[in-house]
Amino acid sequence: QVQLVESGGGVVQPGRSLRLSCAASGFTFSVFGMQWVRQAPGKGLEWVAVIWYDGSKKYYGDSVKGRFTISRDENTLYLQMNSLRAEDTAVYYCARVVHCNDGGCFVHGLDVWGQGTTVTVSS
Amino acid sequence: SYELTQPPSVSVSPGQTARITCSADAFPRQYVYWYQQKAGQAPVLVIYQDTGRPSGIPERFSGSSSGTTVTLTINGVLAEDEADYYCQSADNSGSWVFGGGTKLTV
């Protein structure tokens, strides 16, 4: 079945780095644009980053720009997080957002989500 | 930066109609997407492109728009609809944003 599974979360000290992974299965990953979304404890959803289906375009939220990098390979989405801060503590979700084919791209919204992986930044 | 504004909370009785608004601070605007999130769970897409309803989402969920305001309407609210609801949209630069979320109490 269509599935996204995040991994790589954990406890890390401020200033250190962490890389999250999101393994896709059950669908053709290469035709979907993907997003990372996070949710701090007790807070709302915050958009983190988006990557185009072919990796040609990447955009970031203001709070992570210059510190986080989104990337992808054949069936996995990544989020490299550097210079981590306490305020980056959150559950991180990956989700697919746009389907592209020869006829163009259709933004269908975040229709498939992973279960989330927890990142805690603390000394 | 682009912002979406939602009311913090909406309260309705079972069987009534709940309306949750999402106001954009720019016009024209991109499409809005709505998500339902229950405690301890990942969000679920309930409305796409302002008015579209994904397969599997009950017909009581609908979306509408007027100018810079988009509305999620839940007709005949059930106890199981109690959740947080978030709107999301993109700006013209490729960045996305979520509204602050609305807690629906039934």
Side-chain angles (χ1 to χ4, degrees):
Chain A
Q1 73 278 27
V2 175
Q3 197 172 8
L4 295 170
V5 178
E6 301 98 336
S7 60
V11 180
V12 61
Q13 293 179 328
R16 303 298 290 267
S17 299
L18 206 60
R19 188 175 86 154
L20 305 183
S21 300
C22 168
S25 60
F27 65 98
T28 305
F29 182 67
S30 61
V31 300
F32 285 90
M34 302 291 295
Q35 289 192 5
W36 285 100
V37 173
R38 70 183 182 182
Q39 188 168 34
K43 302 296 185 182
L45 301 175
E46 180 185 8
W47 175 74
V48 174
V50 62
I51 186 168
W52 226 237
Y53 69 101
D54 57 0
S56 62
K57 297 178 183 178
K58 305 174 185 180
Y59 300 96
Y60 300 91
D62 288 343
S63 62
V64 307
K65 205 172 294 183
R67 299 187 299 122
F68 290 12
T69 302
I70 189 172
S71 63
R72 61 189 300 159
D73 63 18
E74 208 170 287
N75 280 298
T76 305
L77 177 71
Y78 301 99
L79 186 68
Q80 177 67 43
M81 306 186 295
N82 298 331
S83 303
L84 283 162
R85 307 166 179 167
E87 53 264 37
D88 295 318
T89 294
V91 175
Y92 285 74
Y93 297 99
C94 61
R96 66 181 197 184
V97 63
V98 53
H99 177 265
C100 296
N101 57 28
D102 290 343
C105 293
F106 178 74
V107 182
H108 47 68
L110 304 177
D111 66 337
V112 177
W113 294 66
Q115 83 288 353
T117 187
T118 301
V119 173
T120 302
V121 184
S122 173
S123 54
Chain B
S1 61
Y2 191 47
E3 289 189 5
L4 300 174
T5 302
Q6 300 179 233
S9 63
V10 169
S11 182
V12 297
S13 299
Q16 290 187 328
T17 297
R19 295 182 179 84
I20 300 173
T21 58
C22 175
S23 297
D25 69 352
F27 188 84
R29 57 168 182 81
Q30 303 269 8
Y31 283 123
V32 167
Y33 303 81
W34 287 97
Y35 305 92
Q36 175 196 67
Q37 186 181 34
K38 297 182 179 179
Q41 299 181 19
V44 172
L45 177 70
V46 294
I47 295 290
Y48 67 92
Q49 291 192 353
D50 288 0
T51 61
R53 190 173 56 247
S55 61
I57 300 302
E59 290 185 9
R60 63 181 182 274
F61 288 87
S62 65
S64 62
S65 68
S66 177
T68 58
T69 298
V70 180
T71 301
L72 171 68
T73 299
I74 311 172
N75 290 307
V77 169
L78 303 177
E80 67 194 51
D81 298 329
E82 186 163 286
D84 294 325
Y85 291 83
Y86 296 90
C87 59
Q88 186 195 31
S89 187
D91 65 19
N92 293 323
S93 71
S95 295
W96 289 71
V97 66
F98 283 98
T102 298
K103 180 175 181 61
L104 175 64
T105 301
V106 180

